[in-house]
Amino acid sequence: MIFMEKEISVSGFLKKVIYRDEKTGYSTFLLTTEDERFAKRHIGEKDTDITVSGIIPLFPHKTPLLVTGVYREDNKPLFFASKCEQRTSNDAFTIEFLNQKYFAGIGPKTIERIIKVVDGDIFAFCAQEDAAKILTATDNKIRIGIAQLLVSKIRELKNVESLLHYLVKYGGDFLSAKEIYEKYGEDSIRVIEENPYLLSYTGLSYEAREAIAKKRGFKTHDDRRIKALLEECFSLVESRGNTCVSLKNLLKMVSFVERRANMGYKTNPVVLVANLFQLKSEFVFREEEDELFFYTRRTYEIEERAARHIVRLSRSKIPFPTTRASISQIEGESSITYGDEQKTAFKLFESSGVKILTGGPGTGKSTVIDGLLQYYRQMFPDNAVALCAPTGAAAKKLREVTKGDAKTIHKLLDVKPFGKDDMQYKDEYDQLPYDLIIVDESSMIDIELFMMLLSGVKSGALVLFVGDEDQLSSVGPGNVLHDMIDSGYIPSCQLRKVYRQKGDSSIVENSIRMREGNTNLVEDEAFEIIRVSNQMELEEKAIEVIQRESGGHRKQDMKLYSPVRNPKYIVSTYFMNKRLHNLFGLQGEKQVSYDGVTFTVGDPIIMRNNNYELDYLNGDEGVISDIVEEEDGSMVMMLTMSDGTFLEISGKNMGDVELAYAITVHKSQGAECDTAILLLPMTPKNMLERSLIYVGATRAKRKNIIITENSALEYAINNTQKQNRFSGLNAQVRKIAK
């Protein structure tokens, strides 16, 4: 075994990319070298290909390169490149480089003329300010259009390369370099150094921006830094489901972000607060019970607008006649006898406005909804009715229950992108035509979607929000269902009585027991509890159970659920997805990697964010049907979604795609599967609370398996302390309604 730890440089051209991470730019590729001495010594006289690993931009095939790094001959010889530079060292490489699609329009004869003019390194030549002018000199016979095309393309390749090398030093990656260059071009590095905090919209992390700022001598209390710091903190606040944050918690968040960046910055709280009050166009505060709560202006206005629409719809009530005889008629027609509590729900339909119906499994919520729909259609046969839910899975389930045409809220509102940071949808200027709107799985609605929906509802309409208070809150910011109930302003009916029916499975029975805080669960063929002593055992047992239940083949209607996504934990969805991908994924050439995760054709996926331009939502599921390489070397995922639609995903949008062999309990809400396997590690303990277990244990239609580390299951059932969310919709409603 030979180790050459001293850095060396080898020239050649890019022959083939074997592996590439679309986010970081980390690649393994073949370099055909011209260095005969190096080739003879290390890779054999007949073979001139070196396997190189390093960070590179999207180089066209046959790009001439100079790689610098360490070559190691082990079981698998590999050149570890610390730097990859585009550099031409001979005419033959230059001719091959120019004679490809990337330089379409430049013919063989023109290439010969270019070679004569360049006389060496084409990259160094095109870096000259007057390169195009030299190429078009009379004696060279090269047209101005060709010269400009060549120079611009070569410069772009070099500029992106230089920008990437610059950013990598600070923790940046290829994708952020690409985004920055698309906006600022040749001025990218100058713009970054003048104010790195401008780049919050790119994939460049806050930590990287802090590192650049420190290097450039930015002071702790520079206004530009303080503003960027606040933006980062509020981004974290909202990512945790809050619409606002108390001053005390905001200061804690600032300290957390600064420690994480580890640049030695420590902001004085007085300076921070002073900036908060000065940046009135960016941030807003609300006072409640002698405590200040801060918002981004955008989120504050969304929350306030939602509250105003609640009050608008409540003040435009239209009374509807309702009698006990009407309810009795429905009971007779449906062969159903409603309980007293269920009959109370019909009072919600005595007038229009915003109403709430809540209830857990076994309370007859679906039965009541059917009755309410039947009752309304009998009373108002000509009125338009809409059924909707926050996600595609929840809408599908609502269709099955009601036998009606249920849509996602986004489809109902016809949401479309409108400009860079805005969207258009049915609002107060173009309202929905419906007189009754029933919204299921309301606990999953975040504040922005809630505002959008209500703004599209005409005055005099009835909107019934249906949900389960014991389920988890939305993935996005807001605590809508709880805030509506807590406001005391909106008429609501809670179904508490459980109607146990003959033939109810142990899944239903156990969900009721969990909801009531009862840890004495029924164990049978439909509900299995497996106990292990640590997370390593939890992981291995999960794989064993999956193989047992699936027969070694991936089943479409089987899901693994975990409380956490964070790679910090062994049984996170991040790591479990990697293991299950290796177990069930199709092994072939058609694959793409993004931020350390490899995707192959056939992998199930779930979307992590909303994208109205490409028409997908957080929680939408599908499968990778194909992976295509574009002419510039970039990769495109072809997705077939569960609703039958097709998506093409590339570039930064790949960050929205996640493997879905395992998903978080939060993402599972509103969906069902045949067999559900729920993992319960003892840490992080803050995730072990009753509502999470309640949701996770009620996803299965046929069989539910819980694999618990020691007493994690019992701990969660007994823990009613939900993770607190800070929001102000309830206070805003009370204030506006006065």
Side-chain angles (χ1 to χ4, degrees):
M1 186 185 301
I2 300 173
F3 290 96
M4 300 176 59
E5 294 299 335
K6 185 179 177 181
E7 280 202 338
I8 58 172
S9 295
V10 180
S11 60
F13 69 81
L14 179 68
K15 181 179 181 179
K16 183 182 178 182
V17 176
I18 302 167
Y19 166 87
R20 178 176 177 83
D21 189 308
E22 295 293 300
K23 182 177 190 292
T24 63
Y26 185 83
S27 305
T28 300
F29 58 94
L30 292 180
L31 181 80
T32 299
T33 182
E34 61 176 356
D35 191 330
E36 294 181 4
R37 187 176 174 185
F38 179 89
K40 286 180 181 179
R41 183 177 178 185
H42 298 291
I43 55 180
E45 291 186 26
K46 295 182 180 180
D47 194 356
T48 57
D49 291 345
I50 309 169
T51 304
V52 182
S53 193
I55 295 174
I56 59 171
L58 278 172
F59 290 141
H61 288 177
K62 296 187 178 180
T63 298
L65 296 174
L66 180 70
V67 297
T68 302
V70 176
Y71 184 75
R72 291 178 181 170
E73 286 184 302
D74 206 335
N75 296 328
K76 197 173 181 180
L78 189 64
F79 193 106
F80 295 90
S82 58
K83 195 171 185 180
C84 300
E85 300 173 89
Q86 297 164 105
R87 188 178 296 181
T88 315
S89 53
N90 65 50
D91 290 349
F93 280 3
T94 305
I95 291 168
E96 283 205 66
F97 175 52
L98 296 178
N99 194 23
Q100 57 181 310
K101 287 182 180 178
Y102 186 76
F103 296 101
I106 304 178
K109 289 185 178 179
T110 304
I111 291 173
E112 288 179 15
R113 295 179 187 130
I114 291 169
I115 295 295
K116 289 178 183 177
V117 180
V118 169
D119 191 27
D121 187 359
I122 192 170
F123 297 100
F125 175 84
C126 289
Q128 299 176 83
E129 189 175 342
D130 57 350
K133 187 177 178 181
I134 296 170
L135 284 168
T136 54
T138 306
D139 293 344
N140 298 329
K141 299 179 180 178
I142 299 171
R143 289 186 287 121
I144 183 67
I146 295 293
Q148 289 173 340
L149 173 69
L150 175 71
V151 172
S152 67
K153 281 186 172 290
I154 293 289
R155 283 182 180 176
E156 182 175 343
L157 286 171
K158 284 298 290 185
N159 288 335
V160 173
E161 175 198 285
S162 300
L163 180 59
L164 179 59
H165 287 318
Y166 177 90
L167 291 176
V168 165
K169 294 185 294 184
Y170 300 102
D173 53 38
F174 165 71
L175 205 54
S176 58
K178 185 180 177 185
E179 282 190 79
I180 293 167
Y181 189 82
E182 284 174 356
K183 184 170 178 65
Y184 297 111
E186 294 182 10
D187 291 329
S188 293
I189 292 178
R190 178 186 62 77
V191 170
I192 293 170
E193 292 188 337
E194 284 180 0
N195 184 9
Y197 296 113
L198 277 175
L199 308 174
S200 59
Y201 69 92
T202 70
L204 191 64
S205 69
Y206 181 80
E207 289 84 355
R209 287 177 278 143
E210 281 275 72
I212 297 168
K214 192 73 174 179
K215 184 74 173 178
R216 299 297 300 168
F218 275 61
K219 303 300 181 186
T220 302
H221 297 132
D222 187 298
D223 288 347
R224 295 167 295 178
R225 180 184 174 272
I226 297 294
K227 183 182 176 185
L229 175 62
L230 286 168
E231 287 172 348
E232 177 70 9
C233 289
F234 276 96
S235 175
L236 286 172
V237 165
E238 294 187 4
S239 72
R240 296 175 182 182
N242 308 290
T243 62
C244 57
V245 61
S246 67
L247 180 57
K248 182 174 100 175
N249 285 335
L250 178 60
L251 294 176
K252 286 181 180 178
M253 186 73 72
V254 167
S255 180
F256 167 77
V257 170
E258 290 182 330
R259 286 198 311 273
R260 190 182 64 182
N262 197 29
M263 287 293 115
Y265 287 120
K266 193 172 181 180
T267 305
N268 186 313
V270 176
V271 175
L272 186 93
V273 174
N275 273 267
L276 261 176
F277 285 109
Q278 287 172 6
L279 293 166
K280 293 180 180 179
S281 63
E282 304 286 338
F283 307 104
V284 181
F285 74 91
R286 173 178 60 82
E287 191 172 358
E288 184 181 345
E289 297 178 356
D290 299 324
E291 191 168 12
L292 293 179
F293 289 90
F294 290 88
Y295 296 75
T296 63
R297 178 167 287 281
R298 182 178 183 276
T299 302
Y300 178 84
E301 289 175 352
I302 287 171
E303 192 173 84
E304 184 185 45
R305 192 175 165 192
R308 291 191 182 280
H309 283 300
I310 289 173
V311 176
R312 170 181 65 87
L313 291 167
S314 299
R315 286 176 175 171
S316 61
K317 282 183 181 177
I318 299 173
F320 302 145
T322 177
T323 64
R324 288 192 175 272
S326 304
I327 300 172
S328 299
Q329 184 181 343
I330 293 169
E331 287 179 317
E333 291 174 352
S334 307
S335 301
I336 291 171
T337 301
Y338 293 114
D340 291 340
E341 195 178 62
Q342 293 173 321
K343 287 179 181 178
T344 304
F346 282 80
K347 290 185 178 181
L348 296 173
F349 276 39
E350 289 181 347
S351 68
S352 64
V354 180
K355 311 292 176 66
I356 303 168
L357 174 66
T358 64
T363 59
K365 192 168 57 181
S366 297
T367 304
V368 171
I369 292 171
D370 272 337
L372 289 170
L373 275 169
Q374 188 179 342
Y375 166 72
Y376 187 86
R377 283 169 171 152
Q378 284 179 358
M379 289 188 57
F380 308 103
D382 297 327
N383 283 11
V385 177
L387 307 173
C388 61
T391 66
K396 181 184 175 184
K397 188 177 173 183
L398 184 58
R399 280 195 297 272
E400 293 169 355
V401 169
T402 63
K403 305 295 188 293
D405 182 23
K407 303 177 180 179
T408 65
I409 297 173
H410 294 82
K411 293 290 185 188
L412 187 74
L413 293 171
D414 193 24
V415 177
K416 294 185 175 85
F418 186 73
K420 182 177 178 294
D421 300 310
D422 208 354
M423 53 193 148
Q424 67 179 31
Y425 50 90
K426 298 289 185 181
D427 58 13
E428 54 263 55
Y429 305 107
D430 181 23
Q431 293 185 317
L432 296 164
Y434 304 106
D435 303 286
L436 170 65
I437 301 173
I438 295 179
V439 189
D440 200 14
E441 297 289 355
S442 298
S443 65
M444 300 172 64
I445 303 174
D446 64 36
I447 187 64
E448 184 169 16
L449 184 58
F450 179 70
M451 179 278 293
M452 289 164 61
L453 175 61
L454 287 192
S455 64
V457 179
K458 65 183 181 180
S459 295
L462 169 57
V463 188
L464 179 65
F465 289 95
V466 182
D468 185 344
E469 286 186 86
D470 292 317
Q471 293 211 17
L472 297 164
S473 298
S474 60
V475 175
N479 202 16
V480 170
L481 183 62
H482 290 274
D483 277 357
M484 281 199 292
I485 295 169
D486 189 54
S487 72
Y489 184 73
I490 301 167
S492 63
C493 174
Q494 184 177 15
L495 304 177
R496 295 181 176 87
K497 185 177 179 180
V498 174
Y499 295 87
R500 289 174 169 85
Q501 299 177 21
K502 189 177 179 181
D504 276 352
S505 75
S506 54
I507 297 173
V508 175
E509 175 62 30
N510 284 332
S511 72
I512 294 166
R513 293 189 182 193
M514 288 179 187
R515 195 164 180 255
E516 295 172 346
N518 186 349
T519 59
N520 185 25
L521 304 180
V522 178
E523 295 186 57
D524 58 16
E525 289 185 357
F527 203 101
E528 184 180 357
I529 300 174
I530 301 170
R531 297 185 187 275
V532 296
S533 57
N534 55 60
Q535 281 202 32
M536 295 289 288
E537 282 187 36
L538 188 61
E539 180 191 27
E540 294 307 318
K541 182 58 70 174
I543 299 298
E544 180 188 315
V545 169
I546 288 168
Q547 289 180 310
R548 181 194 78 192
E549 294 295 320
S550 67
H553 304 282
R554 185 173 77 87
K555 286 189 174 180
Q556 300 287 343
D557 209 16
M558 177 187 290
K559 281 289 185 188
L560 181 73
Y561 301 115
S562 172
V564 289
R565 182 186 181 273
N566 193 332
K568 178 179 175 182
Y569 302 99
I570 298 171
V571 292
S572 64
T573 58
Y574 180 86
F575 280 124
M576 294 308 300
N577 269 319
K578 283 195 170 188
R579 285 211 60 179
L580 294 172
H581 166 86
N582 292 333
L583 188 66
F584 294 125
L586 298 175
Q587 304 304 314
E589 289 189 8
K590 286 198 170 185
Q591 62 180 40
V592 62
S593 294
Y594 186 93
D595 204 15
V597 177
T598 298
F599 300 87
T600 56
V601 173
D603 280 338
I605 58 89
I606 190 167
M607 308 310 288
R608 293 181 59 195
N609 291 300
N610 297 332
N611 187 313
Y612 302 108
E613 187 175 357
L614 296 181
D615 196 23
Y616 60 79
L617 302 173
N618 191 343
D620 284 353
E621 293 193 61
V623 66
I624 300 174
S625 50
D626 201 1
I627 294 170
V628 180
E629 184 177 358
E630 298 285 62
E631 286 187 5
D632 65 355
S634 62
M635 306 300 287
V636 179
M637 282 190 205
M638 315 298 287
L639 308 182
T640 302
M641 307 307 288
S642 57
D643 63 357
T645 58
F646 301 95
L647 295 175
E648 295 184 12
I649 305 295
S650 61
K652 67 178 180 181
N653 294 319
M654 282 190 185
D656 291 344
V657 182
E658 194 168 73
L659 292 171
Y661 295 98
I663 63 176
T664 62
V665 177
H666 270 91
K667 286 286 179 73
S668 75
Q669 210 162 272
E672 288 182 322
C673 60
D674 182 70
T675 304
I677 302 166
L678 175 62
L679 306 185
L680 291 182
M682 281 299 296
T683 54
K685 270 198 171 183
N686 67 314
M687 298 298 293
L688 294 176
E689 46 96 4
R690 188 180 296 173
S691 61
L692 183 136
I693 304 305
Y694 171 69
V695 170
T698 54
R699 300 305 92 197
K701 292 184 284 188
R702 184 185 66 86
K703 188 172 185 178
N704 194 92
I705 303 167
I706 296 178
I707 310 174
T708 175
E709 181 186 355
N710 299 316
S711 59
L713 173 61
E714 287 75 21
Y715 178 90
I717 293 172
N718 287 320
N719 181 20
T720 58
Q721 297 296 312
K722 293 186 178 183
Q723 297 181 62
N724 288 329
R725 284 198 171 192
F726 293 94
S727 57
L729 179 64
N730 50 0
Q732 297 268 40
V733 169
R734 287 193 291 264
K735 178 184 174 183
I736 293 167
K738 282 183 179 178

